[in-house]
Amino acid sequence: MIWNVKLSLAINMSKTSFKTTVEWKTIPWRKLERKVFKLQKRIYKASCRGDLKAVRRLQKTLMRSWSAKCIAVRRVTQDNQGKVTAGVDGVKSLSPNSRLALVNILKIDGKASPTRRVWIPKPGSEEKRGLGIPTISDRAKQALVKLALEPEWEARFEPNSFGFRPGRSCHDAIAQIFSAIKQKAKYVLDADISKCFDRIDHKALLEKLNTFPTIKRQIKAWLKAGVMDSKELFPTPEGTPLSWRNFPLTCEYSPPWIREPNSRSFPG
């Protein structure tokens, strides 16, 4: 695999700077997290005031940041529950030196490997749900892109949206429901869109993102990379993989009529 060759070269590269000589276990994570969070706050504030030029400039700065790359790699190789799940390259885990090597070669380059299809049972059903597992390299790139996109869209999402949002939980949704219905009875709309994220239109999603070309090309590459199932490659003309790191953000790009429960009144 090309990525494995790059990784081997990066591990054996000349150790001439802090970024290549530092040991993984000695990285000051709190300091890195503060740096990234400060950049994300600036992106959020720029998005709130509608300064798109500043948003794009800060997002590019964040994606070039060594601190952000380290955090992205740590999340997919150490923090996540699926950190030992292999993609099509067969790599399940990385050593500390390999993690640093991946940080040094991590770049949003518009390239993507196919995902590996894994079938898991649906809770309370005999049906199985197909997950698309990206390679570790692609997962790290997805985590990096998410760090840049999330603060921009947090400034735009509706206040009554709670799913997959950072700093929000089921308890927040319960409290909001209680506040809405405590004065008088209300109607509840329970909707389930069949195979919703298997049918997402790629062109519409990219238009909705309205981001700059580097991220747009990369996300398009992930969407069109295809899926490997039983050693056979299948195209992906529509839909998003359920294990995609930016899947939570995709969940929020839903039609306004779904996300505005309090803006419409139903007949009594």
Side-chain angles (χ1 to χ4, degrees):
M1 296 292 293
I2 295 175
W3 179 73
N4 288 334
V5 173
K6 286 184 178 179
L7 192 57
S8 299
L9 290 171
I11 292 172
N12 296 320
M13 68 192 300
S14 165
K15 297 181 179 180
T16 56
S17 69
F18 171 78
K19 293 176 185 179
T20 55
T21 58
V22 66
E23 290 187 17
W24 185 260
K25 64 181 180 181
T26 63
I27 291 176
W29 291 109
R30 292 284 180 90
K31 185 177 179 181
L32 267 58
E33 286 168 355
R34 282 197 298 269
K35 282 184 178 179
V36 173
F37 185 60
K38 283 181 180 178
L39 269 174
Q40 288 183 309
K41 281 201 298 185
R42 292 175 65 189
I43 293 170
Y44 177 84
K45 290 178 180 178
S47 183
C48 283
R49 65 175 183 266
D51 190 349
L52 193 60
K53 189 175 180 180
V55 169
R56 300 291 178 253
R57 185 182 71 250
L58 291 166
Q59 285 175 330
K60 291 174 184 177
T61 301
L62 188 146
M63 290 194 302
R64 288 193 299 265
S65 164
W66 188 77
S67 299
K69 291 179 180 181
C70 283
I71 289 173
V73 170
R74 188 185 70 170
R75 285 186 180 173
V76 302
T77 60
Q78 284 184 270
D79 297 346
N80 290 356
Q81 289 183 342
K83 58 182 177 287
V84 293
T85 307
V88 293
D89 58 357
V91 179
K92 286 187 175 181
S93 60
L94 297 180
S95 66
N97 283 343
S98 297
R99 290 173 197 151
L100 274 175
L102 178 55
V103 169
N104 290 327
I105 64 172
L106 194 61
K107 183 181 179 183
I108 307 303
D109 54 8
K111 298 176 183 177
S113 300
T115 57
R116 182 172 71 90
R117 175 62 53 81
V118 175
W119 295 95
I120 60 170
K122 282 187 177 182
S125 171
E126 293 184 0
E127 282 187 73
K128 288 191 175 182
R129 174 182 295 156
L131 297 181
I133 310 297
T135 62
I136 289 179
S137 176
D138 277 331
R139 295 204 295 265
K141 286 194 282 189
Q142 288 170 9
L144 184 61
V145 168
K146 187 184 177 188
L147 286 173
L149 284 181
E150 199 165 54
E152 176 193 357
W153 284 91
E154 273 298 309
R156 302 186 192 182
F157 290 149
E158 280 76 9
N160 285 330
S161 172
F162 294 94
F164 303 101
R165 299 279 297 276
R168 298 191 176 206
S169 68
C170 292
H171 298 289
D172 297 311
I174 292 168
Q176 181 62 33
I177 291 169
F178 176 76
S179 297
I181 67 173
K182 65 182 179 181
Q183 299 296 332
K184 68 173 186 176
K186 299 286 182 70
Y187 281 93
V188 175
L189 176 63
D190 183 12
D192 183 12
I193 304 174
S194 177
K195 299 186 181 295
C196 174
F197 298 105
D198 292 336
R199 305 275 173 82
I200 286 180
D201 184 89
H202 292 171
K203 185 178 179 182
L205 178 61
L206 292 169
E207 287 176 359
K208 180 79 171 178
L209 270 170
N210 190 31
T211 188
F212 57 96
T214 303
I215 291 182
K216 192 172 182 178
R217 280 194 300 267
Q218 185 62 68
I219 291 178
K220 185 177 180 180
W222 287 325
L223 292 171
K224 300 293 186 184
V227 59
M228 191 76 74
D229 191 358
S230 301
K231 297 183 180 181
E232 188 174 351
L233 181 63
F234 295 92
T236 48
E238 60 183 3
T240 61
L242 291 180
S243 59
W244 191 32
R245 285 218 39 106
N246 290 320
F247 175 74
L249 277 177
T250 306
C251 292
E252 291 294 337
Y253 305 141
S254 51
W257 61 267
I258 293 177
R259 303 193 312 264
E260 297 173 1
N262 292 332
S263 63
R264 294 170 182 256
S265 58
F266 291 91

PDB file of all heavy atoms in Angstrom, residues 63 107-113 137-138 141-142 145 206 211-225 244 246:
ATOM      1  N   MET A  63      -6.019  23.278   9.928  1.00  0.00           N
ATOM      2  CA  MET A  63      -5.696  22.011   9.263  1.00  0.00           C
ATOM      3  C   MET A  63      -4.202  21.861   8.987  1.00  0.00           C
ATOM      4  O   MET A  63      -3.719  20.752   8.795  1.00  0.00           O
ATOM      5  CB  MET A  63      -6.495  21.869   7.968  1.00  0.00           C
ATOM      6  CG  MET A  63      -7.978  21.646   8.208  1.00  0.00           C
ATOM      7  SD  MET A  63      -8.871  21.090   6.749  1.00  0.00           S
ATOM      8  CE  MET A  63      -8.537  22.413   5.606  1.00  0.00           C
ATOM      9  N   LYS A 107      -2.087  14.996   5.540  1.00  0.00           N
ATOM     10  CA  LYS A 107      -2.354  16.131   4.655  1.00  0.00           C
ATOM     11  C   LYS A 107      -3.691  15.928   3.956  1.00  0.00           C
ATOM     12  O   LYS A 107      -4.011  14.813   3.530  1.00  0.00           O
ATOM     13  CB  LYS A 107      -1.227  16.258   3.622  1.00  0.00           C
ATOM     14  CG  LYS A 107      -1.362  17.457   2.696  1.00  0.00           C
ATOM     15  CD  LYS A 107      -0.217  17.479   1.701  1.00  0.00           C
ATOM     16  CE  LYS A 107      -0.340  18.655   0.741  1.00  0.00           C
ATOM     17  NZ  LYS A 107       0.738  18.660  -0.278  1.00  0.00           N
ATOM     18  N   ILE A 108      -4.462  16.999   3.858  1.00  0.00           N
ATOM     19  CA  ILE A 108      -5.735  16.945   3.130  1.00  0.00           C
ATOM     20  C   ILE A 108      -5.409  17.072   1.650  1.00  0.00           C
ATOM     21  O   ILE A 108      -5.251  18.168   1.113  1.00  0.00           O
ATOM     22  CB  ILE A 108      -6.687  18.074   3.596  1.00  0.00           C
ATOM     23  CG1 ILE A 108      -6.839  18.049   5.118  1.00  0.00           C
ATOM     24  CG2 ILE A 108      -8.040  17.953   2.916  1.00  0.00           C
ATOM     25  CD1 ILE A 108      -7.333  16.731   5.675  1.00  0.00           C
ATOM     26  N   ASP A 109      -5.282  15.912   0.984  1.00  0.00           N
ATOM     27  CA  ASP A 109      -4.755  15.884  -0.383  1.00  0.00           C
ATOM     28  C   ASP A 109      -5.792  15.488  -1.430  1.00  0.00           C
ATOM     29  O   ASP A 109      -5.456  15.308  -2.602  1.00  0.00           O
ATOM     30  CB  ASP A 109      -3.568  14.924  -0.458  1.00  0.00           C
ATOM     31  CG  ASP A 109      -3.899  13.535   0.071  1.00  0.00           C
ATOM     32  OD1 ASP A 109      -5.091  13.283   0.360  1.00  0.00           O
ATOM     33  OD2 ASP A 109      -2.972  12.710   0.205  1.00  0.00           O
ATOM     34  N   GLY A 110      -7.043  15.320  -1.032  1.00  0.00           N
ATOM     35  CA  GLY A 110      -8.071  14.962  -2.001  1.00  0.00           C
ATOM     36  C   GLY A 110      -8.058  13.512  -2.421  1.00  0.00           C
ATOM     37  O   GLY A 110      -8.726  13.143  -3.392  1.00  0.00           O
ATOM     38  N   LYS A 111      -7.324  12.653  -1.680  1.00  0.00           N
ATOM     39  CA  LYS A 111      -7.256  11.228  -2.003  1.00  0.00           C
ATOM     40  C   LYS A 111      -7.930  10.416  -0.902  1.00  0.00           C
ATOM     41  O   LYS A 111      -7.948  10.823   0.257  1.00  0.00           O
ATOM     42  CB  LYS A 111      -5.798  10.784  -2.163  1.00  0.00           C
ATOM     43  CG  LYS A 111      -5.068  11.479  -3.297  1.00  0.00           C
ATOM     44  CD  LYS A 111      -3.613  11.072  -3.342  1.00  0.00           C
ATOM     45  CE  LYS A 111      -2.859  11.823  -4.443  1.00  0.00           C
ATOM     46  NZ  LYS A 111      -1.417  11.480  -4.459  1.00  0.00           N
ATOM     47  N   ALA A 112      -8.472   9.255  -1.270  1.00  0.00           N
ATOM     48  CA  ALA A 112      -9.150   8.405  -0.290  1.00  0.00           C
ATOM     49  C   ALA A 112      -9.108   6.950  -0.741  1.00  0.00           C
ATOM     50  O   ALA A 112      -9.150   6.661  -1.937  1.00  0.00           O
ATOM     51  CB  ALA A 112     -10.602   8.846  -0.104  1.00  0.00           C
ATOM     52  N   SER A 113      -9.018   6.051   0.230  1.00  0.00           N
ATOM     53  CA  SER A 113      -9.077   4.610  -0.043  1.00  0.00           C
ATOM     54  C   SER A 113     -10.513   4.126   0.138  1.00  0.00           C
ATOM     55  O   SER A 113     -11.288   4.731   0.896  1.00  0.00           O
ATOM     56  CB  SER A 113      -8.158   3.852   0.918  1.00  0.00           C
ATOM     57  OG  SER A 113      -6.824   4.276   0.783  1.00  0.00           O
ATOM     58  N   SER A 137      -5.422   6.093   8.094  1.00  0.00           N
ATOM     59  CA  SER A 137      -5.013   7.363   7.485  1.00  0.00           C
ATOM     60  C   SER A 137      -6.219   8.226   7.137  1.00  0.00           C
ATOM     61  O   SER A 137      -6.256   9.426   7.425  1.00  0.00           O
ATOM     62  CB  SER A 137      -4.185   7.093   6.226  1.00  0.00           C
ATOM     63  OG  SER A 137      -3.856   8.298   5.568  1.00  0.00           O
ATOM     64  N   ASP A 138      -7.243   7.613   6.525  1.00  0.00           N
ATOM     65  CA  ASP A 138      -8.453   8.362   6.168  1.00  0.00           C
ATOM     66  C   ASP A 138      -9.213   8.807   7.414  1.00  0.00           C
ATOM     67  O   ASP A 138      -9.771   9.911   7.449  1.00  0.00           O
ATOM     68  CB  ASP A 138      -9.362   7.515   5.284  1.00  0.00           C
ATOM     69  CG  ASP A 138      -8.951   7.550   3.820  1.00  0.00           C
ATOM     70  OD1 ASP A 138      -8.381   8.569   3.397  1.00  0.00           O
ATOM     71  OD2 ASP A 138      -9.183   6.559   3.100  1.00  0.00           O
ATOM     72  N   LYS A 141      -7.540  11.884   8.707  1.00  0.00           N
ATOM     73  CA  LYS A 141      -7.877  13.055   7.879  1.00  0.00           C
ATOM     74  C   LYS A 141      -9.299  13.524   8.153  1.00  0.00           C
ATOM     75  O   LYS A 141      -9.572  14.726   8.209  1.00  0.00           O
ATOM     76  CB  LYS A 141      -7.686  12.731   6.395  1.00  0.00           C
ATOM     77  CG  LYS A 141      -6.238  12.652   5.958  1.00  0.00           C
ATOM     78  CD  LYS A 141      -6.067  12.670   4.459  1.00  0.00           C
ATOM     79  CE  LYS A 141      -6.366  11.352   3.831  1.00  0.00           C
ATOM     80  NZ  LYS A 141      -6.009  11.301   2.388  1.00  0.00           N
ATOM     81  N   GLN A 142     -10.211  12.573   8.343  1.00  0.00           N
ATOM     82  CA  GLN A 142     -11.598  12.927   8.644  1.00  0.00           C
ATOM     83  C   GLN A 142     -11.702  13.645   9.988  1.00  0.00           C
ATOM     84  O   GLN A 142     -12.457  14.616  10.131  1.00  0.00           O
ATOM     85  CB  GLN A 142     -12.466  11.665   8.635  1.00  0.00           C
ATOM     86  CG  GLN A 142     -12.689  11.108   7.245  1.00  0.00           C
ATOM     87  CD  GLN A 142     -13.338   9.731   7.265  1.00  0.00           C
ATOM     88  OE1 GLN A 142     -13.768   9.255   8.312  1.00  0.00           O
ATOM     89  NE2 GLN A 142     -13.404   9.083   6.119  1.00  0.00           N
ATOM     90  N   VAL A 145     -10.487  17.229   9.440  1.00  0.00           N
ATOM     91  CA  VAL A 145     -11.497  18.046   8.754  1.00  0.00           C
ATOM     92  C   VAL A 145     -12.643  18.390   9.710  1.00  0.00           C
ATOM     93  O   VAL A 145     -13.158  19.517   9.710  1.00  0.00           O
ATOM     94  CB  VAL A 145     -12.018  17.312   7.500  1.00  0.00           C
ATOM     95  CG1 VAL A 145     -13.262  17.995   6.940  1.00  0.00           C
ATOM     96  CG2 VAL A 145     -10.939  17.261   6.437  1.00  0.00           C
ATOM     97  N   LEU A 206     -22.572  18.357  -0.870  1.00  0.00           N
ATOM     98  CA  LEU A 206     -21.414  19.226  -1.098  1.00  0.00           C
ATOM     99  C   LEU A 206     -21.839  20.677  -1.288  1.00  0.00           C
ATOM    100  O   LEU A 206     -21.146  21.601  -0.850  1.00  0.00           O
ATOM    101  CB  LEU A 206     -20.615  18.729  -2.307  1.00  0.00           C
ATOM    102  CG  LEU A 206     -19.895  17.380  -2.108  1.00  0.00           C
ATOM    103  CD1 LEU A 206     -19.362  16.863  -3.436  1.00  0.00           C
ATOM    104  CD2 LEU A 206     -18.764  17.513  -1.101  1.00  0.00           C
ATOM    105  N   THR A 211     -18.116  24.794   1.275  1.00  0.00           N
ATOM    106  CA  THR A 211     -16.798  25.033   1.850  1.00  0.00           C
ATOM    107  C   THR A 211     -15.783  25.304   0.749  1.00  0.00           C
ATOM    108  O   THR A 211     -16.120  25.324  -0.437  1.00  0.00           O
ATOM    109  CB  THR A 211     -16.374  23.827   2.704  1.00  0.00           C
ATOM    110  OG1 THR A 211     -15.181  24.137   3.407  1.00  0.00           O
ATOM    111  CG2 THR A 211     -16.176  22.576   1.854  1.00  0.00           C
ATOM    112  N   PHE A 212     -14.528  25.505   1.111  1.00  0.00           N
ATOM    113  CA  PHE A 212     -13.515  25.849   0.114  1.00  0.00           C
ATOM    114  C   PHE A 212     -13.017  24.575  -0.591  1.00  0.00           C
ATOM    115  O   PHE A 212     -13.196  23.454  -0.100  1.00  0.00           O
ATOM    116  CB  PHE A 212     -12.370  26.653   0.724  1.00  0.00           C
ATOM    117  CG  PHE A 212     -11.661  25.998   1.871  1.00  0.00           C
ATOM    118  CD1 PHE A 212     -10.486  25.278   1.683  1.00  0.00           C
ATOM    119  CD2 PHE A 212     -12.152  26.113   3.172  1.00  0.00           C
ATOM    120  CE1 PHE A 212      -9.824  24.687   2.734  1.00  0.00           C
ATOM    121  CE2 PHE A 212     -11.491  25.538   4.237  1.00  0.00           C
ATOM    122  CZ  PHE A 212     -10.326  24.813   4.019  1.00  0.00           C
ATOM    123  N   PRO A 213     -12.383  24.723  -1.769  1.00  0.00           N
ATOM    124  CA  PRO A 213     -12.097  23.581  -2.642  1.00  0.00           C
ATOM    125  C   PRO A 213     -11.303  22.444  -1.992  1.00  0.00           C
ATOM    126  O   PRO A 213     -11.560  21.278  -2.299  1.00  0.00           O
ATOM    127  CB  PRO A 213     -11.305  24.206  -3.798  1.00  0.00           C
ATOM    128  CG  PRO A 213     -11.783  25.618  -3.853  1.00  0.00           C
ATOM    129  CD  PRO A 213     -12.045  26.010  -2.433  1.00  0.00           C
ATOM    130  N   THR A 214     -10.354  22.744  -1.113  1.00  0.00           N
ATOM    131  CA  THR A 214      -9.523  21.684  -0.517  1.00  0.00           C
ATOM    132  C   THR A 214     -10.380  20.681   0.241  1.00  0.00           C
ATOM    133  O   THR A 214     -10.263  19.464   0.055  1.00  0.00           O
ATOM    134  CB  THR A 214      -8.475  22.295   0.433  1.00  0.00           C
ATOM    135  OG1 THR A 214      -7.675  23.231  -0.281  1.00  0.00           O
ATOM    136  CG2 THR A 214      -7.578  21.202   1.003  1.00  0.00           C
ATOM    137  N   ILE A 215     -11.254  21.182   1.114  1.00  0.00           N
ATOM    138  CA  ILE A 215     -12.132  20.296   1.890  1.00  0.00           C
ATOM    139  C   ILE A 215     -13.176  19.656   0.986  1.00  0.00           C
ATOM    140  O   ILE A 215     -13.498  18.469   1.133  1.00  0.00           O
ATOM    141  CB  ILE A 215     -12.806  21.064   3.041  1.00  0.00           C
ATOM    142  CG1 ILE A 215     -11.775  21.458   4.095  1.00  0.00           C
ATOM    143  CG2 ILE A 215     -13.910  20.228   3.687  1.00  0.00           C
ATOM    144  CD1 ILE A 215     -12.355  22.180   5.305  1.00  0.00           C
ATOM    145  N   LYS A 216     -13.696  20.426   0.045  1.00  0.00           N
ATOM    146  CA  LYS A 216     -14.735  19.902  -0.849  1.00  0.00           C
ATOM    147  C   LYS A 216     -14.214  18.716  -1.657  1.00  0.00           C
ATOM    148  O   LYS A 216     -14.890  17.686  -1.791  1.00  0.00           O
ATOM    149  CB  LYS A 216     -15.224  21.011  -1.782  1.00  0.00           C
ATOM    150  CG  LYS A 216     -16.488  20.664  -2.546  1.00  0.00           C
ATOM    151  CD  LYS A 216     -17.021  21.880  -3.285  1.00  0.00           C
ATOM    152  CE  LYS A 216     -18.323  21.544  -4.003  1.00  0.00           C
ATOM    153  NZ  LYS A 216     -18.885  22.727  -4.690  1.00  0.00           N
ATOM    154  N   ARG A 217     -12.990  18.840  -2.197  1.00  0.00           N
ATOM    155  CA  ARG A 217     -12.393  17.747  -2.972  1.00  0.00           C
ATOM    156  C   ARG A 217     -12.172  16.516  -2.097  1.00  0.00           C
ATOM    157  O   ARG A 217     -12.385  15.378  -2.519  1.00  0.00           O
ATOM    158  CB  ARG A 217     -11.070  18.195  -3.596  1.00  0.00           C
ATOM    159  CG  ARG A 217     -11.221  19.024  -4.860  1.00  0.00           C
ATOM    160  CD  ARG A 217      -9.899  19.133  -5.607  1.00  0.00           C
ATOM    161  NE  ARG A 217      -8.867  19.779  -4.783  1.00  0.00           N
ATOM    162  CZ  ARG A 217      -8.620  21.089  -4.798  1.00  0.00           C
ATOM    163  NH1 ARG A 217      -9.330  21.891  -5.586  1.00  0.00           N
ATOM    164  NH2 ARG A 217      -7.683  21.601  -4.037  1.00  0.00           N
ATOM    165  N   GLN A 218     -11.722  16.762  -0.851  1.00  0.00           N
ATOM    166  CA  GLN A 218     -11.452  15.643   0.047  1.00  0.00           C
ATOM    167  C   GLN A 218     -12.731  14.898   0.426  1.00  0.00           C
ATOM    168  O   GLN A 218     -12.780  13.667   0.406  1.00  0.00           O
ATOM    169  CB  GLN A 218     -10.745  16.150   1.315  1.00  0.00           C
ATOM    170  CG  GLN A 218     -10.315  15.050   2.265  1.00  0.00           C
ATOM    171  CD  GLN A 218      -9.303  14.106   1.651  1.00  0.00           C
ATOM    172  OE1 GLN A 218      -8.165  14.482   1.388  1.00  0.00           O
ATOM    173  NE2 GLN A 218      -9.710  12.866   1.402  1.00  0.00           N
ATOM    174  N   ILE A 219     -13.769  15.641   0.765  1.00  0.00           N
ATOM    175  CA  ILE A 219     -15.033  15.007   1.140  1.00  0.00           C
ATOM    176  C   ILE A 219     -15.638  14.271  -0.059  1.00  0.00           C
ATOM    177  O   ILE A 219     -16.165  13.161   0.079  1.00  0.00           O
ATOM    178  CB  ILE A 219     -16.016  16.045   1.714  1.00  0.00           C
ATOM    179  CG1 ILE A 219     -15.496  16.532   3.073  1.00  0.00           C
ATOM    180  CG2 ILE A 219     -17.422  15.464   1.859  1.00  0.00           C
ATOM    181  CD1 ILE A 219     -16.349  17.591   3.729  1.00  0.00           C
ATOM    182  N   LYS A 220     -15.526  14.853  -1.238  1.00  0.00           N
ATOM    183  CA  LYS A 220     -16.020  14.176  -2.436  1.00  0.00           C
ATOM    184  C   LYS A 220     -15.252  12.870  -2.670  1.00  0.00           C
ATOM    185  O   LYS A 220     -15.851  11.848  -3.041  1.00  0.00           O
ATOM    186  CB  LYS A 220     -15.878  15.096  -3.656  1.00  0.00           C
ATOM    187  CG  LYS A 220     -16.488  14.497  -4.923  1.00  0.00           C
ATOM    188  CD  LYS A 220     -16.397  15.471  -6.091  1.00  0.00           C
ATOM    189  CE  LYS A 220     -17.019  14.863  -7.348  1.00  0.00           C
ATOM    190  NZ  LYS A 220     -16.952  15.800  -8.495  1.00  0.00           N
ATOM    191  N   ALA A 221     -13.943  12.886  -2.414  1.00  0.00           N
ATOM    192  CA  ALA A 221     -13.138  11.670  -2.572  1.00  0.00           C
ATOM    193  C   ALA A 221     -13.597  10.588  -1.599  1.00  0.00           C
ATOM    194  O   ALA A 221     -13.692   9.412  -1.972  1.00  0.00           O
ATOM    195  CB  ALA A 221     -11.660  11.994  -2.343  1.00  0.00           C
ATOM    196  N   TRP A 222     -13.908  10.958  -0.354  1.00  0.00           N
ATOM    197  CA  TRP A 222     -14.410   9.978   0.616  1.00  0.00           C
ATOM    198  C   TRP A 222     -15.761   9.420   0.179  1.00  0.00           C
ATOM    199  O   TRP A 222     -16.002   8.228   0.289  1.00  0.00           O
ATOM    200  CB  TRP A 222     -14.538  10.614   1.995  1.00  0.00           C
ATOM    201  CG  TRP A 222     -13.233  10.850   2.678  1.00  0.00           C
ATOM    202  CD1 TRP A 222     -12.118  10.071   2.618  1.00  0.00           C
ATOM    203  CD2 TRP A 222     -12.895  11.960   3.526  1.00  0.00           C
ATOM    204  NE1 TRP A 222     -11.106  10.629   3.381  1.00  0.00           N
ATOM    205  CE2 TRP A 222     -11.555  11.773   3.943  1.00  0.00           C
ATOM    206  CE3 TRP A 222     -13.590  13.083   3.979  1.00  0.00           C
ATOM    207  CZ2 TRP A 222     -10.904  12.678   4.795  1.00  0.00           C
ATOM    208  CZ3 TRP A 222     -12.955  13.979   4.821  1.00  0.00           C
ATOM    209  CH2 TRP A 222     -11.620  13.782   5.224  1.00  0.00           C
ATOM    210  N   LEU A 223     -16.634  10.302  -0.289  1.00  0.00           N
ATOM    211  CA  LEU A 223     -17.971   9.857  -0.689  1.00  0.00           C
ATOM    212  C   LEU A 223     -17.928   8.917  -1.891  1.00  0.00           C
ATOM    213  O   LEU A 223     -18.735   7.988  -1.995  1.00  0.00           O
ATOM    214  CB  LEU A 223     -18.845  11.075  -1.011  1.00  0.00           C
ATOM    215  CG  LEU A 223     -19.226  11.993   0.154  1.00  0.00           C
ATOM    216  CD1 LEU A 223     -19.896  13.262  -0.362  1.00  0.00           C
ATOM    217  CD2 LEU A 223     -20.127  11.274   1.142  1.00  0.00           C
ATOM    218  N   LYS A 224     -16.996   9.161  -2.805  1.00  0.00           N
ATOM    219  CA  LYS A 224     -16.931   8.392  -4.054  1.00  0.00           C
ATOM    220  C   LYS A 224     -15.907   7.259  -4.012  1.00  0.00           C
ATOM    221  O   LYS A 224     -15.684   6.595  -5.023  1.00  0.00           O
ATOM    222  CB  LYS A 224     -16.567   9.330  -5.217  1.00  0.00           C
ATOM    223  CG  LYS A 224     -17.556  10.479  -5.448  1.00  0.00           C
ATOM    224  CD  LYS A 224     -18.892   9.969  -5.934  1.00  0.00           C
ATOM    225  CE  LYS A 224     -19.833  11.125  -6.309  1.00  0.00           C
ATOM    226  NZ  LYS A 224     -21.173  10.631  -6.690  1.00  0.00           N
ATOM    227  N   ALA A 225     -15.275   7.013  -2.860  1.00  0.00           N
ATOM    228  CA  ALA A 225     -14.169   6.050  -2.790  1.00  0.00           C
ATOM    229  C   ALA A 225     -14.599   4.611  -3.018  1.00  0.00           C
ATOM    230  O   ALA A 225     -13.793   3.764  -3.379  1.00  0.00           O
ATOM    231  CB  ALA A 225     -13.470   6.174  -1.430  1.00  0.00           C
ATOM    232  N   TRP A 244     -18.314   6.824   9.119  1.00  0.00           N
ATOM    233  CA  TRP A 244     -17.579   8.008   8.664  1.00  0.00           C
ATOM    234  C   TRP A 244     -17.431   8.982   9.821  1.00  0.00           C
ATOM    235  O   TRP A 244     -18.381   9.282  10.530  1.00  0.00           O
ATOM    236  CB  TRP A 244     -18.374   8.624   7.519  1.00  0.00           C
ATOM    237  CG  TRP A 244     -17.670   9.685   6.745  1.00  0.00           C
ATOM    238  CD1 TRP A 244     -16.341   9.769   6.498  1.00  0.00           C
ATOM    239  CD2 TRP A 244     -18.281  10.806   6.093  1.00  0.00           C
ATOM    240  NE1 TRP A 244     -16.078  10.871   5.725  1.00  0.00           N
ATOM    241  CE2 TRP A 244     -17.254  11.524   5.475  1.00  0.00           C
ATOM    242  CE3 TRP A 244     -19.590  11.259   5.971  1.00  0.00           C
ATOM    243  CZ2 TRP A 244     -17.489  12.681   4.744  1.00  0.00           C
ATOM    244  CZ3 TRP A 244     -19.829  12.404   5.244  1.00  0.00           C
ATOM    245  CH2 TRP A 244     -18.789  13.110   4.639  1.00  0.00           C
ATOM    246  N   ASN A 246     -17.177  12.125   9.888  1.00  0.00           N
ATOM    247  CA  ASN A 246     -18.003  13.325   9.728  1.00  0.00           C
ATOM    248  C   ASN A 246     -19.480  12.994   9.599  1.00  0.00           C
ATOM    249  O   ASN A 246     -20.286  13.853   9.266  1.00  0.00           O
ATOM    250  CB  ASN A 246     -17.528  14.136   8.517  1.00  0.00           C
ATOM    251  CG  ASN A 246     -16.179  14.785   8.771  1.00  0.00           C
ATOM    252  OD1 ASN A 246     -15.920  15.279   9.867  1.00  0.00           O
ATOM    253  ND2 ASN A 246     -15.309  14.779   7.791  1.00  0.00           N
TER     254      ASN A 246
END
